[in-house]
Amino acid sequence: MATTTAADKRAQAKAEYDAFLAACPSRRLLDRISDKWVTLILCALGGAHPQGPGHTEPGTEHGPRPMRYSELSRQLAGVSQKMLTQTLRALERDGLVTRTVTPTVPVTVTYELTGLGLSLQQVVRGVKGWAESHMDDVLAHRATYDADA
Amino acid sequence: MATTTAADKRAQAKAEYDAFLAACPSRRLLDRISDKWVTLILCALGGAHPQGPGHTEPGTEHGPRPMRYSELSRQLAGVSQKMLTQTLRALERDGLVTRTVTPTVPVTVTYELTGLGLSLQQVVRGVKGWAESHMDDVLAHRATYDADA
DNA sequence: CAGGATCCCGCTAGATACTG
DNA sequence: CAGTATCTAGCGGGATCCTG
């Protein structure tokens, strides 16, 4: 296939999976990662500034860092043990986080982003950021919408 | 307040809402937009290349465009009427899409992204794209994970 | 065509209690 | 500390029928 260019390959890669199709595996993957807890866990594990810009102020910057179960539980206010464990397991299975057990007494378990998890974190961080920075706009629109009703 | 710099204002804006807090409104907003159907609807309304790169091939590029209810229903394979209508209403209420009724016979209804919706579309497009482009990696990890179990 | 209204099932999130 | 196990209430979400 002498006609296969880089552009062709990119087109193929894009066409291979299509979340618009109900039967496509990527549809279910999209459903999994489109989740409040997934977003928050990934963001927590990613630290404050995951892909910090050019210059880094020591002390203000901490990229991806391992976190313990209890740490996560504390940072994700209101998450139930069940959801936290369940979501972490799913993320581990999908290769987004690693789970490390240190046989101390009592046992110490840490979770950390993988490279794959980091790549997703970069994008879901945007979702969380959007929610926080556009909250006022949304609230304003809701007010006028509800008023007209 | 002579000490209020641009950086301070940004810090304040970021601190105003925090999705890590259970009681924060942004937590619920995050839950709303972390949704399969929200992502797919916004992507559909955003067209193929929302923020196309430098040069644009005429004919291959079509940015945000209004779509009819039935068009959306067709493109989002497998979506139920209930979920489609319900999600569209929520998006309209939050000011992410506009709903336009043209009194033809039968009636024609079109949905279109607002500026706010467009800004969210840019980020959720990344989520959808991630799912499609990393599907193979995830499947591979699942296989090894399930094998070890 | 673009929904509204209902019914109803599934299953999932959350609370609680227990364990290595 | 870091979970597992169990139970249940609630609702997400699909199917179905109907309408302007």
Side-chain angles (χ1 to χ4, degrees), chain B residues 79-137:
Chain B
V79 67
S80 67
Q81 295 174 346
K82 181 182 177 178
M83 283 314 298
L84 184 54
T85 301
Q86 186 173 294
T87 307
L88 284 169
R89 286 285 186 278
L91 293 177
E92 186 195 2
R93 188 170 107 99
D94 290 352
L96 301 176
V97 306
T98 57
R99 177 174 180 270
T100 308
V101 182
T102 308
T104 52
V105 181
V107 70
T108 305
V109 180
T110 60
Y111 294 90
E112 190 170 9
L113 281 183
T114 64
L116 194 59
L118 185 59
S119 72
L120 179 55
Q121 191 264 356
Q122 313 258 354
V123 22
V124 295
R125 176 159 189 64
V127 178
K128 174 173 175 288
W130 190 94
E132 290 167 347
S133 58
H134 296 275
M135 190 69 239
D136 286 327
D137 305 79

Side-chain angles (χ1 to χ4, degrees), chain A residues 44-45 65-77 84 109-111:
Chain A
L45 289 175
R65 52 160 184 148
M67 288 180 73
R68 303 183 55 173
Y69 182 89
S70 49
E71 278 186 285
L72 282 168
S73 159
R74 235 171 293 118
Q75 182 155 12
L76 305 196
L84 185 54
V109 181
T110 59
Y111 293 91

Side-chain angles (χ1 to χ4, degrees), chain A residues 2 30 37 45 47 56 58 64 68 85 93 117 129 133-135:
Chain A
L30 176 61
W37 300 127
L45 289 175
T56 295
R68 303 183 55 173
T85 301
R93 188 170 106 100
S133 58
H134 291 71
M135 191 68 240

Side-chain angles (χ1 to χ4, degrees), chain B residues 15-99:
Chain B
E16 197 164 357
Y17 294 110
D18 182 358
F20 280 129
L21 306 177
C24 185
S26 66
R27 166 73 70 90
R28 267 175 305 189
L29 180 56
L30 176 61
D31 201 18
R32 289 257 170 84
I33 63 181
S34 295
D35 176 63
K36 189 180 38 177
W37 301 126
V38 168
T39 299
L40 291 175
I41 287 176
L42 291 178
C43 287
L45 290 175
H49 325 218
Q51 77 292 19
H55 102 41
T56 295
E57 204 84 45
T60 66
E61 166 76 60
H62 43 277
R65 53 158 184 150
M67 288 182 74
R68 302 184 55 175
Y69 183 88
S70 50
E71 279 186 284
L72 282 168
S73 161
R74 234 171 293 118
Q75 182 156 10
L76 305 196
V79 67
S80 67
Q81 295 174 346
K82 181 182 177 178
M83 283 314 298
L84 184 54
T85 301
Q86 186 173 294
T87 307
L88 284 169
R89 286 285 186 278
L91 293 177
E92 186 195 2
R93 188 170 107 99
D94 290 352
L96 301 176
V97 306
T98 57
R99 177 174 180 270

Side-chain angles (χ1 to χ4, degrees), chain A residues 78-94:
Chain A
V79 68
S80 67
Q81 295 173 345
K82 182 183 176 180
M83 282 315 297
L84 185 54
T85 301
Q86 186 173 297
T87 308
L88 283 168
R89 287 283 186 279
L91 293 177
E92 186 194 2
R93 188 170 106 100
D94 290 352

